[in-house]
Amino acid sequence: MISESSKLSLSVTDIHKSYGGTEVLRGISYRFEPSRCYALCGANGAGKSTLLRICALIEKPDAGVVTYSAEEKTLPHDINLKRCMTLLLPSVGVFNTTVFKNAAYGLKVRGKSRAEIDSKTYETLDMVGLKDKACQNALTLSTGETARMGIARALAITPGFLFLDEPTNGIDAKNYEIIKDILLKIKRNLKTTILIATHDTKIKEQICDRVLVLSEGRIADVKA
Ligand SMILES: Nc1ncnc2c1ncn2[C@@H]1O[C@H](COP(=O)(O)OP(=O)(O)OP(=O)(O)O)[C@@H](O)[C@H]1O
Ligand SMILES: [Mg+2]
């Protein structure tokens, strides 16, 4: 078992990925330090979402290695490891039920107790400013609220790694500020490593410790 207090490190080594004969990733190597926040930038089609899926163990690379480790030990790519991470896509999948049940989903599939589901779900809904909408049907939330609910669902499981794919797409200024504050709060708790695929300059500058620029299938630049 990986304990909630373990700090996970992630290294990717010489990752290659092609689709239909086109090589999208051509040898990506990087070590992500625990508890840091990274932005992944690059033009449309540069391979940001592909790299996020590979890091989140949702897709396998054609070549190269994804290594997760805790306390210097390499971890197998098993269900315990996969349960320590979450990938939040640009359009949040919404179930036709309450905001509470949507946000509680990750805890429920992990078999958590009723008491833990209740306390963690209300805590994260409070964090994203949706506690008062817990009983509302999630399909009736606004776009910005839906994005925040997705973040609550992702955070409820206290992930070691949080992968966010374009979290501020289609978000207005008010929701942007709320999401920015949530990300800053996650950063402060020092347990979660965050990797954000984004085109948003403010996210890169105001939240991220490092900015990785993908170009022509490689990491072309790393900015502090
Ligand atoms: N499952 C797939 N099958 C075929 N092609 C794919 C698949 N996944 C990604 N691609 C292709 O790989 C390339 C990189 O896609 P990816 O979504 O990773 O780029 P991105 O940097 O996230 O772009 P954007 O900024 O538009 O989100 C694109 O040309 C895309 O069409
Ligand atoms: Mg993408």
Side-chain angles (χ1 to χ4, degrees), residues 64 114 151 160 204:
R114 182 67 202 262
I151 293 178
K204 291 179 224 169

Side-chain angles (χ1 to χ4, degrees), residues 38-93:
Y38 297 88
L40 200 52
C41 310
N44 291 133
K48 303 179 294 296
S49 299
T50 302
L51 183 58
L52 281 191
R53 289 194 300 275
I54 289 172
C55 288
L57 306 178
I58 286 165
E59 201 165 322
K60 284 194 164 53
D62 299 331
V65 186
V66 177
T67 308
Y68 278 91
S69 51
E71 285 132 30
E72 311 289 315
K73 283 197 191 122
T74 299
L75 301 168
H77 291 185
D78 61 10
I79 188 77
N80 289 326
L81 177 60
K82 288 177 186 172
R83 283 182 170 174
C84 296
M85 60 185 78
T86 189
L87 168 64
L88 187 58
L89 296 172
S91 52
V92 175

